[in-house]
Amino acid sequence: MASIGYDTHHHTLTHCSLMPAKLHSLSRQFWRYTLPTVAAMLVNGLYQVIDGIFIGHVMGADGLAGINLIWPLIAGMLGIGLMIGVGAGAKISAARGKGHDPSGHHTLAVAIGLVLLLSVFLSFALVAWGQYLLALQGAEQVPLAFAVQYLDVLVWANMFTLGSMAVPILLRNDDQPGLATRLMMLGALLNIGFDLVFIVWLEWALTGAAIATALAQAAVTLVGVSYFFSRRSRLQVIWPSWSQAWSITRHICAIGAASWIMYGYSAVMVAVHNHLLMLHGGKLAVGAYAVIGYVVIVYYLLAEGVANGMQPLVSFYAGASQPHWIKRCLLMALSCVLVTGVAFVAVINGLPNTLARVFVGSGNPALLDSTVNGLRLHLILLFLDGFIVVAAAYFQAIHHGRTALMISIGNIVLQLPFLFLFASYWQLDGVWLAYPASNLALAIPVGAWLAIDLRRRLRHLSQTDANVGDFC
């Protein structure tokens, strides 16, 4: 059996021969990519969750509100990193699916260049508009001061924020899902250690939290990039011509734009929530929303991990024109996120006090009560978020970036009117309920788009389940 690999003599990707495969073989391939990816994404989420645990217990509502004020800026940067990683990863895997194609090496080089170039732009943007964007959220004085502490570190560390998202995805698309997971675990362990040093021992507040995260993300980025310059890497960093680089950049951005919009949507929604929660509930409500965000991010990143684990397989089978196996990969991914999403909702409603106490100290009963109420209302349909994430990733994987972008933009377009309308009628409870209502409204048309696309692909299939490409 031929394998997908790197030909060291010709600097090109060799092709995996297509051969008959059974469903259990596809299942093994799916879990081989999905489990390490889910683990990597969850470990990546630990950066924020660990910060939240330390901040909540050491600094209380003011600290949690401060970290939630800075989150929209962090989310925007994470989205750019994910855009680069997903866009480049889809092109790399598609090149492998097609066979003898050097474009994967060029795409890797352009992706690394984009991380460097965009980080410079972001540094200037943060200096120019960072504090203004924080103030727009209607923050009280103490939480705003804490948020500015974090901002000051992001000005010089944002390159590692981008890299910590993009590099592990590039590693997975070089057939190194295990290495990507181990690297993310290293970053999480470093973050825990640095949090203890900078937040607890040195008492540097959010400056310490930002430095701890930056150092951990730097380790992930630098070690991951160094792999691609080693002999172990199947991909090589080969810079294309400037015209090719521009074309690759456009394709990366087009394919990955939905990922950036998804995080951009998160940034906008957190900022609008912060403003309305500050208006209707003060810093306690914003602090509660920060805790809820840490719970959401665990499930969201699990869903994102399933989606990113599905992506190399779907991209490969799309390149190999195998729609039956595309469908099966998609159904496996949807089953994962929906089952785990329903389980999350059950745990949230059954043990809300236990979840809240992970982040809220015993000396903050008012914050605890606000958090429990928000958990129950805000996350009642959490599983639909996973469905939408997988659907957007599917359209990215088959190079339908415009459809994926429409899904992400639809999330914003629908949720904003729900937020302001519900808040005007039910005040604080209305703010909590807008999120599940808008997800339900979006999930219905998204499900229809998926069904239409799959039917169209299967209609053109001339031979059922024949010659499936083994992803080696």
Side-chain angles (χ1 to χ4, degrees):
M1 179 176 63
S3 62
I4 301 175
Y6 177 69
D7 184 332
T8 55
H9 297 290
H10 297 96
H11 285 199
T12 56
L13 293 171
T14 60
H15 183 55
C16 178
S17 64
L18 298 179
M19 58 180 295
K22 297 180 180 178
L23 182 58
H24 66 81
S25 175
L26 175 66
S27 180
R28 285 198 304 269
Q29 292 172 353
F30 177 81
W31 291 115
R32 175 175 175 259
Y33 275 82
T34 298
L35 289 178
T37 307
V38 168
M41 295 300 288
L42 290 176
V43 169
N44 189 42
L46 286 177
Y47 290 126
Q48 286 79 44
V49 174
I50 291 167
D51 281 349
I53 293 171
F54 280 105
I55 291 166
H57 284 276
V58 174
M59 302 171 62
D62 284 325
L64 287 170
I67 196 70
N68 219 49
L69 291 171
I70 196 67
W71 172 248
L73 302 184
I74 297 173
M77 295 176 205
L78 292 174
I80 292 172
L82 189 62
M83 175 186 73
I84 295 169
V86 169
K91 280 187 64 64
I92 289 168
S93 286
R96 296 170 68 185
K98 291 176 182 177
H100 196 77
D101 190 339
S103 64
H105 311 298
H106 298 158
T107 301
L108 173 65
V110 171
I112 294 173
L114 282 174
V115 169
L116 295 172
L117 180 64
L118 291 177
S119 67
V120 175
F121 169 79
L122 285 171
S123 293
F124 285 107
L126 289 173
V127 170
W129 302 303
Q131 293 194 36
Y132 173 72
L133 293 173
L134 294 176
L136 276 181
Q137 299 174 63
E140 296 177 6
Q141 185 175 0
V142 175
L144 179 60
F146 282 140
V148 171
Q149 291 180 1
Y150 208 110
L151 173 66
D152 290 340
V153 176
L154 277 181
V155 168
W156 59 264
N158 68 82
M159 176 178 67
F160 304 123
T161 306
L162 303 185
S164 68
M165 287 296 284
V167 170
I169 299 174
L170 297 175
L171 288 171
R172 286 193 291 275
N173 281 276
D174 194 38
D175 204 25
Q176 292 290 339
L179 175 60
T181 302
R182 291 193 297 272
L183 197 56
M184 298 308 301
M185 291 179 66
L186 171 65
L189 291 174
L190 289 173
N191 198 35
I192 293 172
F194 290 138
D195 273 341
L196 282 170
V197 172
F198 294 116
I199 298 177
V200 179
W201 295 344
L202 297 179
E203 298 182 349
W204 285 5
L206 287 198
T207 297
I211 292 174
T213 299
L215 291 175
Q217 291 174 337
V220 171
T221 302
L222 296 176
V223 174
V225 169
S226 69
Y227 161 82
F228 290 112
F229 291 91
S230 71
R231 294 184 177 180
R232 294 177 55 199
S233 177
R234 297 180 179 185
L235 288 169
Q236 300 296 305
V237 181
I238 301 175
W239 190 258
S241 67
W242 286 108
S243 61
Q244 287 177 310
W246 174 242
S247 176
I248 291 170
T249 298
R250 285 172 37 241
H251 279 97
I252 288 174
C253 293
I255 296 168
S259 294
W260 179 78
I261 292 292
M262 194 69 89
Y263 269 86
Y265 142 78
S266 172
V268 171
M269 288 304 105
V270 170
V272 174
H273 274 86
N274 284 342
H275 178 78
L276 292 174
L277 290 169
M278 195 69 75
L279 182 65
H280 293 290
K283 69 181 181 183
L284 282 178
V286 177
Y289 184 50
V291 174
I292 293 168
Y294 292 125
V295 176
V296 169
I297 202 170
V298 174
Y299 175 68
Y300 179 84
L301 290 176
L302 184 150
E304 192 75 57
V306 171
N308 286 339
M310 171 193 74
Q311 174 264 310
L313 290 171
V314 170
S315 293
F316 178 82
Y317 289 126
S321 300
Q322 297 290 340
H324 270 302
W325 298 89
I326 294 173
K327 177 182 176 181
R328 286 169 175 168
C329 284
L330 175 63
L331 292 179
M332 287 180 188
L334 289 175
S335 298
C336 288
V337 297
L338 291 175
V339 170
T340 53
V342 171
F344 261 77
V345 172
V347 171
I348 288 166
N349 283 273
L351 301 169
N353 284 278
T354 302
L355 284 174
R357 286 195 180 99
V358 174
F359 300 91
V360 180
S362 56
N364 288 290
L367 178 59
L368 182 66
D369 290 342
S370 182
T371 302
V372 168
N373 181 56
L375 282 168
R376 285 176 168 159
L377 296 177
H378 197 61
L379 305 185
I380 189 65
L381 295 178
L382 180 62
F383 54 88
L384 291 180
D385 209 33
F387 172 77
I388 292 167
V389 167
V390 169
Y394 166 77
F395 285 111
Q396 286 178 303
I398 61 173
H399 290 202
H400 286 193
R402 184 175 299 176
T403 304
L405 190 60
M406 287 174 61
I407 293 172
S408 300
I409 292 174
N411 232 334
I412 299 174
V413 170
L414 284 173
Q415 192 169 164
L416 282 173
F418 274 107
L419 264 172
F420 288 103
L421 181 64
F422 281 28
S424 67
Y425 278 98
W426 300 297
Q427 288 76 50
L428 184 57
D429 284 351
V431 179
W432 294 134
L433 288 169
Y435 172 67
S438 64
N439 269 357
L440 179 60
L442 180 62
I444 295 170
V446 167
W449 290 342
L450 283 176
I452 290 169
D453 181 81
L454 289 173
R455 273 202 305 268
R456 180 185 60 80
R457 288 177 177 277
L458 292 171
R459 193 180 302 124
H460 291 88
L461 184 66
S462 58
Q463 184 179 359
T464 303
D465 292 345
N467 295 334
V468 177
D470 270 355
F471 212 83
C472 312

